[in-house]
Amino acid sequence: MMKLIFKPFDRNTPDLFPACVQDYLPDDHMARFVVEVIDQLNIDDFTKTYRGVGSKAWHPAMMLSLLFYGYATGVFSSRKLEKATYDSVAFRYICANQHPDHDSINTFRKRFAPQISELFVQILLIAKESGWLNLGHVSLDGTKIKANASKHKALSYQYACELEAQLQEEVAELLKLAEQAESSDLPEEFSIPEELKRREDRLAVIADAKAEIERRAEERYQRERAEYEEKVARREVRNNAGKAPKEPEAGPREKDQTNLTDGESRIMPASGGGFEQAYNAQASVDIDSGLIVTRHVTQATNDKQEVEPTLAALEKLEPELGKAEGLLADAGYFSETNVNAVDDAGIRPYIAMERDAHNRRLQERFKPDAPMPEGDEVTPLLLMCWCLQTKAGRAIYSQRKSTIEPTFGIVKEVMGYRQFLVRGHKAVSAEWDLLCLAFNLKRMFSLKQENDEKWLSILYFSLLEALYAAHIVRILAAMLVSEYSLRAAHRSSDKHIAVI
């Protein structure tokens, strides 16, 4: 029988020299990259909040590296992050063989949420200095991320009114029973004070829910009223031509609702059909680098109102990153107001007016570009319409789907973030900021690897060229030596003949 020979392994004998955390990971590991980026950040806003009393705190640089690497690799829970510091070699390297507890991790994440969001621009500056980011055209889109609440816990205004009336009747009945308690034959487990308290608590929750629905209805009415008056004014300019706009109605509607678990989330249509309790997470991506440059979370289902917040965020980035050249967005963002807003910001709009049909006809694909519209009556909308029909404009807009859509795909499928872990718009916004930061670090690491491979290829081919040139030099030198030897031989032969 053939004897099997395996490499030996021994788990009991200690190493001759103690291991160092620097030996845990290869040089090109993402954990090393995250730590290097964090070391370049200015984290004075974190460190100056500590008073230096009590037990020693975990260093902010280590906690930031732990959070960023965790989110970039799909570990979001504070308990799972703590467990990873024991189980994962990469997390052991980041924490230098220390193990922050889950309560400290969660407290740090909540306490420094505003400061973590402020690091977003610093990381983009590092990308710019490294040559990975040169702000040009940006692609804007949004994705629905499920809230930490069930849609079945949503309460409509109509049902709230019905339930409120029912509970009030039950409270009145319980009070009558309380007056007759001495003479009534009630079950032993039936406690009137407990039943009253339960219904009073539910009535208080319903009252708060109704007040929230009424507040939203008033905000909607004021917004719709302003739009109505604007349409009426435009119609009067046209001598009341066209159909008259419908005047909005004040007050809540029967189907207006709020969620009892997370009252700031909203019922939104899901991409696969149906509805879910969610938030609308917005992001704009630089189409060349794939880095997220702006981000925010909104409660609006429709995307039309999200252009102006994005423009405001891009304006804040101008001193550090420069001005964006163009804004790409799908038909969900289209309105003449948004087109004018983008144009007024000095950015070229590329906003689709409707969904384009697939498989365009051959004549449409290769027809020549129409001449550019000119004259005083040319509006930004008319100019954008012309631009989107040109070959150059369509080539730019075609990059939208291949830049922003993969970003959301990576966040949801690769990083595995499909539902917010926190509740409330403020906490959700901080969570989305942290997620976008982690995505940018993950993307920057990929860009660094691509850049390193590019330089290695350049170095390799340069070396080949140098070796080839050296080989050619050696051949030429050998030819010259051979030619010189032949000529020397001929000269000596001629001299010998002359002597004879």
Side-chain angles (χ1 to χ4, degrees):
M1 182 177 177
M2 180 179 179
K3 185 178 179 181
L4 299 177
I5 302 176
F6 298 101
K7 293 182 178 181
F9 66 97
D10 187 354
R11 298 190 182 95
N12 299 318
T13 304
D15 294 334
L16 181 61
F17 299 101
C20 173
V21 292
Q22 294 294 340
D23 302 330
Y24 289 175
L25 299 172
D27 293 337
D28 59 346
H29 198 277
M30 189 171 71
R32 291 184 182 273
F33 176 77
V34 171
V35 171
E36 290 172 2
V37 171
I38 299 302
D39 289 342
Q40 298 178 51
L41 300 177
N42 181 4
I43 57 173
D44 291 342
D45 290 341
F46 294 82
T47 56
K48 68 183 181 184
T49 59
Y50 293 94
R51 295 179 297 170
V53 297
S55 58
K56 293 183 179 179
W58 300 105
H59 199 285
M62 185 193 76
M63 299 296 279
L64 288 171
S65 301
L66 176 63
L67 284 173
F68 290 165
Y69 182 77
Y71 273 65
T73 54
V75 184
F76 313 110
S77 166
S78 58
R79 292 181 183 274
K80 289 183 179 180
L81 286 170
E82 178 188 2
K83 187 174 184 294
T85 61
Y86 292 92
D87 299 343
S88 170
V89 174
F91 282 94
R92 277 184 170 271
Y93 167 79
I94 288 173
C95 297
N97 272 334
Q98 301 180 90
H99 311 286
D101 60 282
H102 63 271
D103 186 58
S104 297
I105 297 171
N106 196 40
T107 301
F108 180 88
R109 179 168 48 189
K110 288 182 178 179
R111 177 184 178 185
F112 293 106
Q115 289 87 342
I116 291 174
S117 299
E118 293 297 326
L119 296 177
F120 189 83
V121 178
Q122 288 194 50
I123 291 178
L124 288 179
L125 282 173
I126 292 176
K128 181 182 179 182
E129 292 171 359
S130 301
W132 304 324
L133 174 62
N134 185 17
L135 192 61
H137 292 88
V138 296
S139 181
L140 171 64
D141 205 352
T143 184
K144 309 298 190 297
I145 298 182
K146 194 176 183 301
N148 189 6
S150 171
K151 64 180 179 181
H152 302 293
K153 288 295 183 180
L155 184 68
S156 68
Y157 191 77
Q158 180 184 10
Y159 184 66
C161 293
E162 295 173 358
L163 189 59
E164 186 179 39
Q166 175 188 332
L167 291 173
Q168 288 173 348
E169 291 178 4
E170 292 178 0
V171 168
E173 291 177 6
L174 287 169
L175 290 175
K176 288 181 181 179
L177 285 175
E179 294 175 358
Q180 304 170 3
E182 296 179 358
S183 58
S184 300
D185 187 14
L186 299 175
E188 293 183 1
E189 64 273 10
F190 186 82
S191 173
I192 293 178
E194 291 180 2
E195 295 295 327
L196 276 172
K197 185 178 185 306
R198 188 169 73 89
R199 281 156 178 78
E200 288 171 354
D201 291 344
R202 293 187 69 186
L203 282 170
V205 172
I206 291 172
D208 292 340
K210 287 180 63 179
E212 176 64 18
I213 294 174
E214 290 167 358
R215 183 189 65 79
R216 295 182 195 171
E218 179 62 24
E219 290 181 355
R220 179 184 61 210
Y221 173 73
Q222 296 298 335
R223 183 173 62 254
E224 292 178 351
R225 187 73 190 179
E227 293 175 357
Y228 168 77
E229 292 175 354
E230 183 181 353
K231 291 178 181 178
V232 169
R234 288 203 303 264
R235 188 167 178 266
E236 289 176 353
V237 173
R238 300 194 302 267
N239 296 324
N240 295 329
K243 185 178 179 180
K246 184 179 179 181
E247 186 174 359
E249 297 178 0
R253 300 165 188 166
E254 291 183 351
K255 293 187 177 181
D256 288 349
Q257 56 184 278
T258 185
N259 193 277
L260 300 180
T261 305
D262 185 357
E264 297 182 8
S265 62
R266 298 290 185 270
I267 288 285
M268 297 185 180
S271 59
F275 294 86
E276 63 183 15
Q277 202 73 29
Y279 286 92
N280 188 353
Q282 298 280 317
S284 64
V285 174
D286 176 65
I287 64 173
D288 291 330
S289 64
L291 293 170
I292 297 174
V293 292
T294 70
R295 76 281 177 224
H296 69 278
V297 176
T298 178
Q299 299 161 304
T301 303
N302 194 289
D303 290 331
K304 280 187 171 60
Q305 302 168 0
E306 309 312 316
V307 170
E308 291 187 3
T310 301
L311 292 175
L314 288 172
E315 185 179 2
K316 291 181 180 179
L317 291 176
E318 286 185 17
E320 288 82 10
L321 303 180
K323 194 174 189 63
E325 297 177 13
L327 179 69
L328 286 60
D330 60 21
Y333 294 86
F334 173 74
S335 72
E336 187 173 358
T337 303
N338 285 341
V339 173
N340 292 334
V342 176
D343 185 73
D344 292 341
I347 302 173
R348 187 147 199 179
Y350 296 88
I351 306 176
M353 294 180 291
E354 59 184 7
R355 292 178 64 93
D356 289 340
H358 295 287
N359 303 320
R360 299 171 62 211
R361 292 182 177 275
L362 188 66
Q363 295 82 355
E364 294 180 3
R365 290 177 57 196
F366 294 99
K367 68 179 181 180
D369 295 340
M372 181 177 178
E374 298 178 352
D376 297 335
E377 297 182 356
V378 176
T379 63
L381 178 59
L382 183 60
L383 194 61
M384 187 191 75
C385 294
W386 168 81
C387 183
L388 288 175
Q389 296 302 318
T390 63
K391 294 178 182 178
R394 295 189 68 86
I396 293 175
Y397 182 77
S398 65
Q399 299 179 76
R400 185 201 69 82
K401 187 175 289 187
S402 62
T403 50
I404 187 63
E405 299 292 351
T407 300
F408 295 141
I410 291 171
V411 167
K412 290 186 174 182
E413 298 298 334
V414 178
M415 298 169 67
Y417 201 95
R418 306 189 67 88
Q419 180 177 3
F420 285 113
L421 306 178
V422 292
R423 294 170 182 167
H425 183 260
K426 183 178 179 181
V428 163
S429 297
E431 187 83 352
W432 181 239
D433 287 350
L434 181 53
L435 196 63
C436 291
L437 279 164
F439 173 86
N440 277 351
L441 287 172
K442 188 180 185 72
R443 178 59 185 157
M444 287 165 61
F445 178 66
S446 298
L447 292 171
K448 177 180 179 296
Q449 287 184 313
E450 293 173 5
N451 190 59
D452 291 345
E453 291 176 0
K454 175 184 175 182
W455 282 109
L456 283 174
S457 300
I458 293 173
L459 182 62
Y460 174 74
F461 286 110
S462 298
L463 183 60
L464 284 181
E465 290 178 359
L467 291 174
Y468 180 75
H471 182 64
I472 295 297
V473 168
R474 286 197 297 270
I475 293 174
L476 291 175
M479 293 175 62
L480 289 174
V481 170
S482 176
E483 181 68 19
Y484 177 79
S485 301
L486 288 173
R487 290 185 178 183
H490 283 303
R491 284 197 298 269
S492 62
S493 175
D494 293 342
K495 288 181 182 179
H496 180 69
I497 293 172
V499 169
I500 294 174

